Amino acid sequence: MDMYRDMILDHYRNPRNWGLVENPDIDHAEDNPTCGDHLHLTVKLDDQGRVAAVGWEGEGCAISQASASLLGEEIMGKTLEELKHFSKEDILDLLGISIGPVRLKCALLSLKVLKAGAYGITAWPGEEDDYE
Ligand code: FES
């Protein structure tokens, strides 16, 4: 457990892929409505539709920022088709600690921004109705 906490703090203090990419194919920002924290994600795809560059900026708690940092690393090299199935459980697995209901939106904000930017899905991950 401590190992995961240290890992989250490391991503929070040293966020990977910090800073927006130029001429992104995906460019989307959202707030966590419960606290107003903010995440802006940009993604560049290569000519095969794979994620070639990720850049993001945000303001928020350690969990939301670590989540964005981890997600950015995780999606590198994948296609949008592959990422469609990236789920709430997957992001929680990456974080590796148990997240209570109060902090769930912190953990999911990065995935929400990706799904809204890539597919126009406005529901929070895990609450999508007509999406598989
Ligand atoms: Fe705002 Fe976590 S408290 S995203």
Side-chain angles (χ1 to χ4, degrees), residues 32 35 37 61 64 103 106:
N32 179 344
C35 61
D37 287 344
C61 63
S64 73
R103 309 306 301 277
C106 305

Side-chain angles (χ1 to χ4, degrees), residues 44 46 49-54 72-80 82-83:
K44 190 139 188 67
D46 67 15
R50 292 186 180 277
V51 173
V54 177
E73 288 192 318
E74 184 68 20
I75 66 177
M76 200 70 82
K78 301 206 165 79
T79 66
L80 292 188
E82 289 164 345
L83 290 171

Side-chain angles (χ1 to χ4, degrees), residues 1 24 31 55 87 89 94 96 108 110 124:
M1 182 62 98
D31 295 339
S87 69
E89 282 68 34
L94 282 182
L108 296 178
S110 62
W124 281 82

Side-chain angles (χ1 to χ4, degrees), residues 6-83:
D6 289 350
M7 183 272 291
I8 286 173
L9 283 176
D10 180 47
H11 275 270
Y12 176 54
R13 292 185 183 131
N14 309 294
R16 321 303 198 259
N17 300 306
W18 180 263
L20 305 177
V21 302
E22 283 185 17
N23 303 316
D25 297 294
I26 299 171
D27 183 353
H28 192 73
E30 297 218 14
D31 295 339
N32 179 344
T34 62
C35 61
D37 287 344
H38 183 76
L39 181 68
H40 186 175
L41 176 71
T42 52
V43 173
K44 190 139 188 67
L45 303 173
D46 67 15
D47 51 12
Q48 286 158 15
R50 292 186 180 277
V51 173
V54 177
W56 63 277
E57 291 180 355
E59 258 173 63
C61 63
I63 291 178
S64 73
Q65 304 299 290
S67 162
S69 181
L70 286 159
L71 182 81
E73 288 192 318
E74 184 68 20
I75 66 177
M76 200 70 82
K78 301 206 165 79
T79 66
L80 292 188
E81 190 58 34
E82 289 164 345
L83 290 171

